[in-house]
Amino acid sequence: MNDDPALFERFLEMLAAESGASPNTLSAYRSDLEQASRRLGGKLAIAGREELKQVGQHWSGLKNSSVARKSSSLRRFFGFLLEEGFRDEDPSDALPRPGISRNLPKVLSHEEIANLFSILKEKLEFDPVKPSDVRLSALLELLYGSGLRASELVTLERRSLAIDRQYLIVKGKGGKERLVPISDQARHSVRLWVSLTDPQEKYLFPSRKGHISRVRLFQIIKELAVQAGINPGKVSPHVLRHAFATHLLEGGADLRSLQTLLGHTDISTTQIYTHVDSARLVELVNDRHPLGRRNLSR
């Protein structure tokens, strides 16, 4: 697996569908990847940590902002390779990390989520209902209700879901399996979708080439966002995963539980969600801390 150009194209296609990246942004990603590939003799996709260290050392004379952008391009590319099964491990931790602040995840409000499900409900009330809308219902329920990654969702196998179980067996990054709770509503939506598909299919969301692609999943979700009156650039499967985590935290979930549900190896990855609940934390301090309950004017 050393076909860098072909993998670059697949990655950029995914990036365009996921975030609606502009041509200039895609061009910058392509440039960063191609430069690193040339330095490694066309073998960036199979590079290890030592090779990536050499690439990072070559950036030593650049500004922090440039190094951060190049590192981000390569890290995102290696994350794509891992999620798509082209690699079993991610060596990108060997790349430099200059002191650039990390962007907070996009968050959908409760009202925006309600709008998405409202449009979906209208679709499901048609008689006869379209199979594509039944599939959309199952996809949305699993994205927002269980916080699955896009790659985890599209590769779910039929055997992952059992009628007598209230959880899914999900294979996440690095091939690691975890149990993910599934709500009664999501189970109902998935069972309805399964009843419309061939029992011989391997995947829960099949297509002619195996399973629905990540790119098609992004397109479906953005189409629903437009119908719900939401800027499609603000909505993606990953944003719905963020909404799942954010709204759980607002509801009182702890970070350790959230880490398990999201399948994060390191809790530092989960801690980015702490920004969303600052109002509840202030209220907690004022209501529960001894100083908050005292009349300080006395």
Side-chain angles (χ1 to χ4, degrees):
M1 189 212 56
N2 60 354
D3 190 2
D4 279 359
L7 290 173
F8 293 166
E9 292 303 322
R10 292 187 62 166
F11 167 67
L12 293 172
E13 181 184 15
M14 180 278 295
L15 191 64
E18 175 180 349
S19 58
S22 69
N24 286 341
T25 298
L26 295 175
S27 177
Y29 270 97
R30 184 188 297 277
S31 176
D32 292 338
L33 294 172
E34 289 178 345
Q35 288 177 19
S37 180
R38 285 195 296 270
R39 179 153 294 278
L40 297 178
K43 297 181 179 181
L44 176 63
I46 60 174
R49 297 184 79 260
E50 290 304 317
E51 289 83 2
L52 292 188
K53 282 183 179 179
Q54 295 174 18
V55 172
Q57 290 169 358
H58 181 69
W59 299 336
S60 59
L62 300 178
K63 295 180 179 179
N64 276 2
S65 57
S66 297
V67 174
R69 192 202 71 230
K70 290 178 179 293
S71 289
S72 176
S73 297
L74 268 62
R75 280 197 296 272
R76 195 157 186 179
F77 175 62
F78 280 104
F80 162 78
L81 295 180
L82 188 66
E83 289 189 347
E84 292 295 311
F86 292 110
R87 292 190 64 125
D88 295 327
E89 40 73 40
D90 183 354
S92 63
D93 61 343
L95 292 168
R97 291 179 177 271
I100 301 295
S101 60
R102 183 178 180 182
N103 291 332
L104 297 174
K106 295 179 182 177
V107 177
L108 290 175
S109 67
H110 291 274
E111 181 181 1
E112 288 169 325
I113 290 293
N115 287 344
L116 292 175
F117 278 97
S118 177
I119 295 297
L120 184 57
K121 182 180 178 182
E122 292 177 8
K123 290 175 176 290
L124 296 177
E125 288 175 349
F126 281 99
D127 187 16
V129 65
K130 294 180 181 179
S132 59
D133 290 335
V134 177
R135 182 184 66 175
L136 174 59
S137 174
L139 290 168
L140 189 64
E141 290 282 358
L142 290 174
L143 283 170
Y144 177 64
S146 296
L148 299 184
R149 297 181 177 95
S151 58
E152 295 171 344
L153 179 57
V154 299
T155 57
L156 269 181
E157 297 184 5
R158 290 175 70 97
R159 63 182 179 86
S160 300
L161 178 74
I163 295 177
D164 59 342
R165 287 200 310 247
Q166 292 186 310
Y167 59 85
L168 294 169
I169 300 175
V170 176
K171 183 173 290 187
K173 288 186 176 181
K176 296 179 181 178
E177 290 188 341
R178 73 181 190 280
L179 299 181
V180 176
I182 177 172
S183 69
D184 291 340
Q185 179 60 42
R187 290 171 68 197
H188 171 74
S189 297
V190 173
R191 282 200 300 268
L192 184 58
W193 165 243
V194 167
S195 70
L196 301 179
T197 60
D198 185 347
Q200 302 303 313
E201 291 284 0
K202 175 182 178 181
Y203 294 103
L204 192 57
F205 300 102
S207 72
R208 286 175 296 178
K209 295 183 179 181
H211 58 72
I212 184 176
S213 70
R214 283 166 50 108
V215 170
R216 183 58 188 143
L217 175 62
F218 281 99
Q219 292 171 341
I220 291 171
I221 296 302
K222 289 182 182 296
E223 289 167 5
L224 179 63
V226 171
Q227 295 166 12
I230 303 173
N231 179 357
K234 188 178 179 182
V235 184
S236 72
H238 204 60
V239 170
L240 288 169
R241 173 173 159 88
H242 286 319
F244 163 80
T246 298
H247 297 166
L248 268 181
L249 195 63
E250 288 176 349
D254 61 272
L255 281 180
R256 285 294 180 186
S257 298
L258 204 58
Q259 177 189 6
T260 300
L261 290 170
L262 294 173
H264 289 162
T265 302
D266 190 338
I267 197 171
S268 64
T269 307
T270 317
Q271 286 173 338
I272 192 170
Y273 291 102
T274 57
H275 81 284
V276 303
D277 213 19
S278 58
R280 189 173 69 87
L281 293 177
V282 170
E283 182 181 356
L284 178 66
V285 170
N286 287 334
D287 289 347
R288 303 296 179 83
H289 193 279
L291 286 178
R293 294 196 298 267
R294 291 176 59 189
N295 184 342
L296 299 183
S297 63
R298 292 178 181 176

